[in-house]
Amino acid sequence: MTPPTTGLLAENTTDNNDHLVQSDDPEHPANLIPSLCAKFWTLGWVTGTGGGASIRDDDLVYLAPSGVQKELMKPSDIYVLSLAAQAQSLSRRQRVYLRSPPVYKPSQCTPLFLAAFTKRNAGCCIHTHSHWAVLVTLILEQQGSKEFRINNIEQIKGFGKGFQKSGNLGYHDTLVIPVIENTAHEEDLTEFLEEAMDKYPDTYAVLVRRHGVYVWGDNVHKAKTQCESLDYLFQLAVEMKQLGLPWITDIEPTIPTRKD
């Protein structure tokens, strides 16, 4: 049985550090997370309190809580922790929060978000329960595959070439997204997600079989762009499968003859 995750409030904190989630700036992480999750809810990515998002601002990590209706989330619902303080913790399952909401519980997605921040220096990580992502993992399960691969599709340009690499993938490049198996407790996915990140150092996402997908980026804009691009490709892939069309094709590049 998975030991319960514990969340402690930082010592010497008397006011719960509510100022960390109070800002008039719409780009502040505590305002952005509810705004993003409300948009994701309209896309069917975070229904039934599932899924979530986290944003890193230097050492501070802002996290959506567990059990909240994502379209109704408020800045006051956000958790905040310190990466540096977490690195000093003796247990990965015990996290010290600088700020905790008066209700709700910490998300079991937290250690997976932290993996994106610590192993990829990401600025934002998004977790969705997109049914297109789930369907792709089921198709791959039938094929006995643990990789989603697709090429020669324009939307592939929405992805970066990889960690610490400049530029984006091209139309003819092959996008590869690893798949890990689901576990009964979400937190237990952490080691498998980290293994996939080590095995696929250039990936910006990991699919979870029969569950959903984790997507990260250098900042909120890139994470959101890649998440949207990936969901488009998942839907396209499912519909291509229905039509008997292959995801991987060998197409000769079209070279323009005019130089003017």
Side-chain angles (χ1 to χ4, degrees), residues 102-178:
V103 293
Y104 303 120
K105 296 184 299 182
S107 172
Q108 281 212 359
C109 301
T110 299
L112 293 101
F113 291 147
L114 294 180
F117 300 144
T118 57
K119 295 180 72 69
R120 290 293 181 270
N121 198 33
C124 177
C125 187
I126 298 167
H127 173 45
T128 85
H129 287 186
S130 159
H131 74 282
W132 297 115
V134 174
L135 283 171
V136 162
T137 69
L138 293 174
I139 293 171
L140 293 170
E141 184 177 59
Q142 285 188 327
Q143 298 173 351
S145 175
K146 292 194 174 185
E147 289 182 346
F148 171 69
R149 303 172 66 90
I150 192 167
N151 68 353
N152 294 315
I153 299 294
E154 182 71 10
Q155 199 68 31
I156 290 171
K157 293 179 179 179
F159 292 86
K161 289 184 177 180
F163 182 50
Q164 295 182 329
K165 295 181 179 178
S166 61
N168 282 27
L169 294 177
Y171 166 66
H172 292 293
D173 289 329
T174 298
L175 176 68
V176 181
I177 306 295

Side-chain angles (χ1 to χ4, degrees), residues 6 9 33 42 46 51-52 56 61 63 69 81 92 113 119 123 128 133 151 169 212 216 225 231 246 250 255:
T6 58
L9 192 64
I33 290 175
T42 66
V46 293
R56 179 179 65 85
V61 174
L63 302 127
Q69 298 287 336
L81 61 73
R92 293 181 64 173
F113 291 147
K119 295 180 72 69
T128 85
N151 68 353
L169 294 177
W216 56 88
T225 298
D231 203 62
D250 185 13
I255 308 298

Side-chain angles (χ1 to χ4, degrees), residues 55-103:
I55 297 173
R56 179 179 65 85
D57 183 9
D58 196 17
D59 179 59
L60 297 182
V61 174
Y62 295 77
L63 302 127
S66 175
V68 65
Q69 298 287 336
K70 296 301 189 294
E71 76 279 18
L72 303 177
M73 192 191 311
K74 305 180 297 296
S76 58
D77 298 329
I78 301 297
Y79 280 87
V80 185
L81 61 73
S82 161
L83 277 180
Q86 185 59 37
Q88 296 171 6
S89 175
L90 297 178
S91 172
R92 293 181 64 173
R93 293 186 182 275
Q94 180 171 293
R95 285 177 279 280
V96 179
Y97 292 93
L98 299 178
R99 194 271 170 184
S100 299
V103 293

Side-chain angles (χ1 to χ4, degrees), residues 1-54:
M1 181 179 294
T2 302
T5 299
T6 58
L8 304 178
L9 192 64
E11 295 181 1
N12 303 321
T13 298
T14 58
D15 63 355
N16 196 29
N17 284 325
D18 286 341
H19 68 279
L20 292 175
V21 297
Q22 296 171 348
S23 174
D24 293 330
D25 182 0
E27 299 300 310
H28 187 279
N31 294 326
L32 265 180
I33 290 175
S35 175
L36 288 171
C37 284
K39 291 181 173 67
F40 297 160
W41 181 81
T42 66
L43 298 172
W45 290 359
V46 293
T47 52
T49 79
S54 180

